Amino acid sequence: MTGILAIPVALKDTLYVASQASGTQWQDVLSILAALFSALLVYVAWATLREHNRPYVTLYAEAGARSNVNLVIKNSGNRAAYNVSVKTDVPLESVYYSKKPEFKLPFVTEKTQPFIGPDQSLSSDFDVLPWRYNRRAEDYQEPCDKYTVTIEYWHKKRRFVDKYQLDFSYLEFMPWGYSRDHISDISSSLKKISDQLPGGMIHNLQNMFKNVPSKYQRDDKEQNVDSSIEAEDAENEPK
């Protein structure tokens, strides 16, 4: 900012030296031009600073971990946004909730949000990928993925209206599978290994079942005992 303001001063001095060297009487004209140029630079610096210190609210969709699609309103600016309203040229279309209306909750875009802080986002469920882009289904219809979005919001006395094209078609190429929790997989593998070690739960259960005779072993043992008793009785019978 200081460097920008110093430019017209240096320019004025340069023009003054040039006018003195040429012997012309343009000092007043050059002073006016330098003042106008200085005022222009001050305005540009002020407008740039004002544009930087403001909220920036956008709407987009993102795929979640379980093949669901979320609508997200995010303020990526460094100032809070108030009374945020989102409108689309046609209603946002959810294939899943059109077939399951009893499960539908209001979208985040259906309500005016009174406050969204800097770097804060609000989201809601919107659709399910296997339902939205299941081209093998007999009743499949191409969903509406392109919308004209108008977002209106306020910061203090300033009103902002942003209008742009929103395209959801990239969601079709997102993976539908459940994301794997690698930490959980590692923990489960370690638990299986520890259970197999001496002192582990599975190891103790295996030893316990090894020490319990099976039904066939008990039957064979009972038969051997009965045979031994019968043999002893036969030897003790009088001849």
Side-chain angles (χ1 to χ4, degrees), residues 6-7 16 21 26 42 48 75 89 95 98 105 146 153 163 165-166 180 186 202 210 223 231:
I7 292 176
Y16 177 78
W26 291 359
V42 170
T48 301
N75 177 12
D89 56 340
V95 176
S98 65
L105 296 174
K146 295 182 180 180
Y153 50 100
K163 187 174 182 179
Q165 298 295 319
L166 182 63
R180 300 190 59 182
I186 295 173
I202 294 179
K210 285 181 181 179
Q223 290 178 0

PDB file of all heavy atoms in Angstrom, residues 6-7 16 21 26 42 48 75 89 95 98 105 146 153 163 165-166 180 186 202 210 223 231:
ATOM      1  N   ALA A   6       3.563   5.823  -3.045  1.00  0.00           N
ATOM      2  CA  ALA A   6       4.830   6.503  -3.331  1.00  0.00           C
ATOM      3  C   ALA A   6       5.063   6.692  -4.816  1.00  0.00           C
ATOM      4  O   ALA A   6       5.871   7.517  -5.233  1.00  0.00           O
ATOM      5  CB  ALA A   6       5.988   5.716  -2.728  1.00  0.00           C
ATOM      6  N   ILE A   7       4.341   5.927  -5.661  1.00  0.00           N
ATOM      7  CA  ILE A   7       4.539   6.020  -7.108  1.00  0.00           C
ATOM      8  C   ILE A   7       4.202   7.400  -7.648  1.00  0.00           C
ATOM      9  O   ILE A   7       4.987   7.986  -8.398  1.00  0.00           O
ATOM     10  CB  ILE A   7       3.728   4.914  -7.825  1.00  0.00           C
ATOM     11  CG1 ILE A   7       4.316   3.546  -7.492  1.00  0.00           C
ATOM     12  CG2 ILE A   7       3.731   5.143  -9.335  1.00  0.00           C
ATOM     13  CD1 ILE A   7       3.523   2.396  -8.076  1.00  0.00           C
ATOM     14  N   TYR A  16       8.577  16.971 -12.909  1.00  0.00           N
ATOM     15  CA  TYR A  16       9.028  18.331 -12.574  1.00  0.00           C
ATOM     16  C   TYR A  16      10.446  18.569 -13.065  1.00  0.00           C
ATOM     17  O   TYR A  16      10.765  19.612 -13.655  1.00  0.00           O
ATOM     18  CB  TYR A  16       8.945  18.540 -11.067  1.00  0.00           C
ATOM     19  CG  TYR A  16       9.451  19.901 -10.615  1.00  0.00           C
ATOM     20  CD1 TYR A  16       8.666  21.049 -10.765  1.00  0.00           C
ATOM     21  CD2 TYR A  16      10.724  20.029 -10.061  1.00  0.00           C
ATOM     22  CE1 TYR A  16       9.133  22.291 -10.362  1.00  0.00           C
ATOM     23  CE2 TYR A  16      11.193  21.267  -9.663  1.00  0.00           C
ATOM     24  CZ  TYR A  16      10.392  22.390  -9.813  1.00  0.00           C
ATOM     25  OH  TYR A  16      10.860  23.607  -9.415  1.00  0.00           O
ATOM     26  N   ALA A  21      14.122  20.975 -17.052  1.00  0.00           N
ATOM     27  CA  ALA A  21      15.194  20.770 -18.024  1.00  0.00           C
ATOM     28  C   ALA A  21      14.791  21.269 -19.398  1.00  0.00           C
ATOM     29  O   ALA A  21      15.611  21.792 -20.159  1.00  0.00           O
ATOM     30  CB  ALA A  21      15.581  19.296 -18.083  1.00  0.00           C
ATOM     31  N   TRP A  26       4.942  23.892 -17.785  1.00  0.00           N
ATOM     32  CA  TRP A  26       3.831  22.948 -17.605  1.00  0.00           C
ATOM     33  C   TRP A  26       3.752  22.424 -16.172  1.00  0.00           C
ATOM     34  O   TRP A  26       3.203  21.359 -15.916  1.00  0.00           O
ATOM     35  CB  TRP A  26       3.994  21.750 -18.547  1.00  0.00           C
ATOM     36  CG  TRP A  26       3.789  22.105 -19.991  1.00  0.00           C
ATOM     37  CD1 TRP A  26       3.467  23.308 -20.522  1.00  0.00           C
ATOM     38  CD2 TRP A  26       3.911  21.191 -21.080  1.00  0.00           C
ATOM     39  NE1 TRP A  26       3.375  23.242 -21.867  1.00  0.00           N
ATOM     40  CE2 TRP A  26       3.635  21.943 -22.265  1.00  0.00           C
ATOM     41  CE3 TRP A  26       4.218  19.847 -21.200  1.00  0.00           C
ATOM     42  CZ2 TRP A  26       3.660  21.387 -23.534  1.00  0.00           C
ATOM     43  CZ3 TRP A  26       4.241  19.278 -22.463  1.00  0.00           C
ATOM     44  CH2 TRP A  26       3.969  20.045 -23.625  1.00  0.00           C
ATOM     45  N   VAL A  42      -4.883   5.354  -5.353  1.00  0.00           N
ATOM     46  CA  VAL A  42      -5.486   5.201  -4.025  1.00  0.00           C
ATOM     47  C   VAL A  42      -6.827   4.474  -4.130  1.00  0.00           C
ATOM     48  O   VAL A  42      -7.137   3.584  -3.317  1.00  0.00           O
ATOM     49  CB  VAL A  42      -5.660   6.575  -3.352  1.00  0.00           C
ATOM     50  CG1 VAL A  42      -6.508   6.449  -2.089  1.00  0.00           C
ATOM     51  CG2 VAL A  42      -4.313   7.163  -3.009  1.00  0.00           C
ATOM     52  N   THR A  48      -9.191  -2.875  -3.995  1.00  0.00           N
ATOM     53  CA  THR A  48      -8.569  -4.200  -3.854  1.00  0.00           C
ATOM     54  C   THR A  48      -8.668  -4.688  -2.418  1.00  0.00           C
ATOM     55  O   THR A  48      -8.994  -5.863  -2.159  1.00  0.00           O
ATOM     56  CB  THR A  48      -7.093  -4.135  -4.284  1.00  0.00           C
ATOM     57  OG1 THR A  48      -7.019  -3.692  -5.636  1.00  0.00           O
ATOM     58  CG2 THR A  48      -6.436  -5.495  -4.172  1.00  0.00           C
ATOM     59  N   ASN A  75     -18.441 -20.688   3.061  1.00  0.00           N
ATOM     60  CA  ASN A  75     -17.932 -19.319   3.026  1.00  0.00           C
ATOM     61  C   ASN A  75     -16.410 -19.394   3.073  1.00  0.00           C
ATOM     62  O   ASN A  75     -15.823 -19.656   4.113  1.00  0.00           O
ATOM     63  CB  ASN A  75     -18.467 -18.520   4.219  1.00  0.00           C
ATOM     64  CG  ASN A  75     -17.900 -17.105   4.270  1.00  0.00           C
ATOM     65  OD1 ASN A  75     -17.288 -16.627   3.317  1.00  0.00           O
ATOM     66  ND2 ASN A  75     -18.095 -16.432   5.390  1.00  0.00           N
ATOM     67  N   ASP A  89     -32.176 -22.076 -11.009  1.00  0.00           N
ATOM     68  CA  ASP A  89     -33.164 -21.824 -12.070  1.00  0.00           C
ATOM     69  C   ASP A  89     -34.227 -22.905 -12.124  1.00  0.00           C
ATOM     70  O   ASP A  89     -35.376 -22.648 -12.479  1.00  0.00           O
ATOM     71  CB  ASP A  89     -32.460 -21.669 -13.416  1.00  0.00           C
ATOM     72  CG  ASP A  89     -31.598 -22.888 -13.753  1.00  0.00           C
ATOM     73  OD1 ASP A  89     -31.241 -23.646 -12.828  1.00  0.00           O
ATOM     74  OD2 ASP A  89     -31.271 -23.069 -14.937  1.00  0.00           O
ATOM     75  N   VAL A  95     -32.521 -38.131  -7.121  1.00  0.00           N
ATOM     76  CA  VAL A  95     -33.155 -39.362  -7.598  1.00  0.00           C
ATOM     77  C   VAL A  95     -33.599 -40.224  -6.419  1.00  0.00           C
ATOM     78  O   VAL A  95     -34.701 -40.773  -6.401  1.00  0.00           O
ATOM     79  CB  VAL A  95     -32.185 -40.143  -8.508  1.00  0.00           C
ATOM     80  CG1 VAL A  95     -32.803 -41.470  -8.929  1.00  0.00           C
ATOM     81  CG2 VAL A  95     -31.819 -39.310  -9.730  1.00  0.00           C
ATOM     82  N   SER A  98     -36.596 -38.711  -4.610  1.00  0.00           N
ATOM     83  CA  SER A  98     -37.797 -38.720  -5.440  1.00  0.00           C
ATOM     84  C   SER A  98     -38.490 -40.081  -5.376  1.00  0.00           C
ATOM     85  O   SER A  98     -39.715 -40.168  -5.532  1.00  0.00           O
ATOM     86  CB  SER A  98     -37.433 -38.387  -6.891  1.00  0.00           C
ATOM     87  OG  SER A  98     -36.608 -39.399  -7.453  1.00  0.00           O
ATOM     88  N   LEU A 105     -35.197 -35.078   4.088  1.00  0.00           N
ATOM     89  CA  LEU A 105     -35.069 -33.952   4.995  1.00  0.00           C
ATOM     90  C   LEU A 105     -34.801 -32.698   4.165  1.00  0.00           C
ATOM     91  O   LEU A 105     -34.337 -32.789   3.034  1.00  0.00           O
ATOM     92  CB  LEU A 105     -33.936 -34.187   5.992  1.00  0.00           C
ATOM     93  CG  LEU A 105     -34.117 -35.363   6.958  1.00  0.00           C
ATOM     94  CD1 LEU A 105     -32.860 -35.561   7.795  1.00  0.00           C
ATOM     95  CD2 LEU A 105     -35.335 -35.160   7.845  1.00  0.00           C
ATOM     96  N   LYS A 146     -27.098 -29.811 -14.308  1.00  0.00           N
ATOM     97  CA  LYS A 146     -26.627 -28.455 -14.593  1.00  0.00           C
ATOM     98  C   LYS A 146     -27.660 -27.442 -14.118  1.00  0.00           C
ATOM     99  O   LYS A 146     -28.836 -27.522 -14.492  1.00  0.00           O
ATOM    100  CB  LYS A 146     -26.350 -28.290 -16.092  1.00  0.00           C
ATOM    101  CG  LYS A 146     -25.208 -29.174 -16.586  1.00  0.00           C
ATOM    102  CD  LYS A 146     -24.915 -28.953 -18.059  1.00  0.00           C
ATOM    103  CE  LYS A 146     -23.766 -29.836 -18.524  1.00  0.00           C
ATOM    104  NZ  LYS A 146     -23.444 -29.642 -19.948  1.00  0.00           N
ATOM    105  N   TYR A 153     -26.190 -12.687  -0.257  1.00  0.00           N
ATOM    106  CA  TYR A 153     -25.816 -12.617   1.165  1.00  0.00           C
ATOM    107  C   TYR A 153     -25.334 -11.213   1.489  1.00  0.00           C
ATOM    108  O   TYR A 153     -25.115 -10.378   0.589  1.00  0.00           O
ATOM    109  CB  TYR A 153     -24.742 -13.649   1.506  1.00  0.00           C
ATOM    110  CG  TYR A 153     -23.548 -13.669   0.584  1.00  0.00           C
ATOM    111  CD1 TYR A 153     -22.356 -13.048   0.924  1.00  0.00           C
ATOM    112  CD2 TYR A 153     -23.609 -14.342  -0.643  1.00  0.00           C
ATOM    113  CE1 TYR A 153     -21.253 -13.083   0.077  1.00  0.00           C
ATOM    114  CE2 TYR A 153     -22.520 -14.378  -1.488  1.00  0.00           C
ATOM    115  CZ  TYR A 153     -21.351 -13.745  -1.127  1.00  0.00           C
ATOM    116  OH  TYR A 153     -20.260 -13.773  -1.973  1.00  0.00           O
ATOM    117  N   LYS A 163     -23.657 -15.126  -9.225  1.00  0.00           N
ATOM    118  CA  LYS A 163     -24.403 -15.988 -10.132  1.00  0.00           C
ATOM    119  C   LYS A 163     -23.422 -16.760 -10.997  1.00  0.00           C
ATOM    120  O   LYS A 163     -22.503 -16.174 -11.572  1.00  0.00           O
ATOM    121  CB  LYS A 163     -25.335 -15.148 -11.003  1.00  0.00           C
ATOM    122  CG  LYS A 163     -26.293 -15.951 -11.866  1.00  0.00           C
ATOM    123  CD  LYS A 163     -27.269 -15.028 -12.583  1.00  0.00           C
ATOM    124  CE  LYS A 163     -28.273 -15.822 -13.410  1.00  0.00           C
ATOM    125  NZ  LYS A 163     -29.247 -14.920 -14.099  1.00  0.00           N
ATOM    126  N   GLN A 165     -22.722 -20.976 -13.098  1.00  0.00           N
ATOM    127  CA  GLN A 165     -23.218 -22.263 -13.561  1.00  0.00           C
ATOM    128  C   GLN A 165     -22.648 -23.380 -12.683  1.00  0.00           C
ATOM    129  O   GLN A 165     -21.440 -23.430 -12.442  1.00  0.00           O
ATOM    130  CB  GLN A 165     -22.835 -22.501 -15.017  1.00  0.00           C
ATOM    131  CG  GLN A 165     -23.427 -21.495 -15.987  1.00  0.00           C
ATOM    132  CD  GLN A 165     -24.938 -21.573 -16.055  1.00  0.00           C
ATOM    133  OE1 GLN A 165     -25.502 -22.666 -16.059  1.00  0.00           O
ATOM    134  NE2 GLN A 165     -25.585 -20.416 -16.114  1.00  0.00           N
ATOM    135  N   LEU A 166     -23.518 -24.251 -12.226  1.00  0.00           N
ATOM    136  CA  LEU A 166     -23.118 -25.385 -11.383  1.00  0.00           C
ATOM    137  C   LEU A 166     -23.397 -26.678 -12.124  1.00  0.00           C
ATOM    138  O   LEU A 166     -24.504 -26.892 -12.626  1.00  0.00           O
ATOM    139  CB  LEU A 166     -23.884 -25.349 -10.063  1.00  0.00           C
ATOM    140  CG  LEU A 166     -23.552 -26.431  -9.033  1.00  0.00           C
ATOM    141  CD1 LEU A 166     -22.097 -26.310  -8.579  1.00  0.00           C
ATOM    142  CD2 LEU A 166     -24.480 -26.319  -7.831  1.00  0.00           C
ATOM    143  N   ARG A 180     -12.438 -47.663   2.654  1.00  0.00           N
ATOM    144  CA  ARG A 180     -11.885 -48.539   3.670  1.00  0.00           C
ATOM    145  C   ARG A 180     -11.175 -47.731   4.735  1.00  0.00           C
ATOM    146  O   ARG A 180     -10.480 -46.767   4.453  1.00  0.00           O
ATOM    147  CB  ARG A 180     -10.920 -49.550   3.038  1.00  0.00           C
ATOM    148  CG  ARG A 180     -11.569 -50.446   2.001  1.00  0.00           C
ATOM    149  CD  ARG A 180     -10.638 -51.567   1.601  1.00  0.00           C
ATOM    150  NE  ARG A 180     -10.267 -52.382   2.748  1.00  0.00           N
ATOM    151  CZ  ARG A 180      -9.423 -53.422   2.662  1.00  0.00           C
ATOM    152  NH1 ARG A 180      -8.873 -53.722   1.522  1.00  0.00           N
ATOM    153  NH2 ARG A 180      -9.133 -54.123   3.731  1.00  0.00           N
ATOM    154  N   ILE A 186      -5.851 -52.553  10.040  1.00  0.00           N
ATOM    155  CA  ILE A 186      -4.616 -52.926  10.722  1.00  0.00           C
ATOM    156  C   ILE A 186      -4.910 -53.401  12.141  1.00  0.00           C
ATOM    157  O   ILE A 186      -4.354 -54.402  12.612  1.00  0.00           O
ATOM    158  CB  ILE A 186      -3.634 -51.729  10.727  1.00  0.00           C
ATOM    159  CG1 ILE A 186      -3.202 -51.403   9.294  1.00  0.00           C
ATOM    160  CG2 ILE A 186      -2.419 -52.028  11.598  1.00  0.00           C
ATOM    161  CD1 ILE A 186      -2.367 -50.146   9.191  1.00  0.00           C
ATOM    162  N   ILE A 202      -8.593 -66.869  21.312  1.00  0.00           N
ATOM    163  CA  ILE A 202      -8.837 -68.006  20.410  1.00  0.00           C
ATOM    164  C   ILE A 202      -7.959 -69.186  20.786  1.00  0.00           C
ATOM    165  O   ILE A 202      -8.391 -70.353  20.751  1.00  0.00           O
ATOM    166  CB  ILE A 202      -8.599 -67.578  18.954  1.00  0.00           C
ATOM    167  CG1 ILE A 202      -9.651 -66.545  18.542  1.00  0.00           C
ATOM    168  CG2 ILE A 202      -8.640 -68.770  18.001  1.00  0.00           C
ATOM    169  CD1 ILE A 202      -9.497 -66.043  17.134  1.00  0.00           C
ATOM    170  N   LYS A 210      -9.960 -78.802  22.805  1.00  0.00           N
ATOM    171  CA  LYS A 210      -9.113 -79.986  22.636  1.00  0.00           C
ATOM    172  C   LYS A 210      -9.198 -80.900  23.850  1.00  0.00           C
ATOM    173  O   LYS A 210      -9.123 -82.129  23.732  1.00  0.00           O
ATOM    174  CB  LYS A 210      -7.667 -79.551  22.420  1.00  0.00           C
ATOM    175  CG  LYS A 210      -7.389 -78.988  21.036  1.00  0.00           C
ATOM    176  CD  LYS A 210      -5.928 -78.601  20.893  1.00  0.00           C
ATOM    177  CE  LYS A 210      -5.650 -78.025  19.515  1.00  0.00           C
ATOM    178  NZ  LYS A 210      -4.230 -77.620  19.375  1.00  0.00           N
ATOM    179  N   GLN A 223     -18.011 -98.044  25.310  1.00  0.00           N
ATOM    180  CA  GLN A 223     -18.066 -99.400  24.739  1.00  0.00           C
ATOM    181  C   GLN A 223     -16.901-100.247  25.235  1.00  0.00           C
ATOM    182  O   GLN A 223     -17.057-101.431  25.542  1.00  0.00           O
ATOM    183  CB  GLN A 223     -18.051 -99.315  23.210  1.00  0.00           C
ATOM    184  CG  GLN A 223     -19.341 -98.740  22.628  1.00  0.00           C
ATOM    185  CD  GLN A 223     -19.273 -98.624  21.130  1.00  0.00           C
ATOM    186  OE1 GLN A 223     -18.257 -98.968  20.528  1.00  0.00           O
ATOM    187  NE2 GLN A 223     -20.360 -98.122  20.531  1.00  0.00           N
ATOM    188  N   ALA A 231     -16.239-109.227  29.726  1.00  0.00           N
ATOM    189  CA  ALA A 231     -15.180-110.239  29.714  1.00  0.00           C
ATOM    190  C   ALA A 231     -14.891-110.736  31.125  1.00  0.00           C
ATOM    191  O   ALA A 231     -14.704-111.946  31.356  1.00  0.00           O
ATOM    192  CB  ALA A 231     -13.907-109.653  29.098  1.00  0.00           C
TER     193      ALA A 231
END
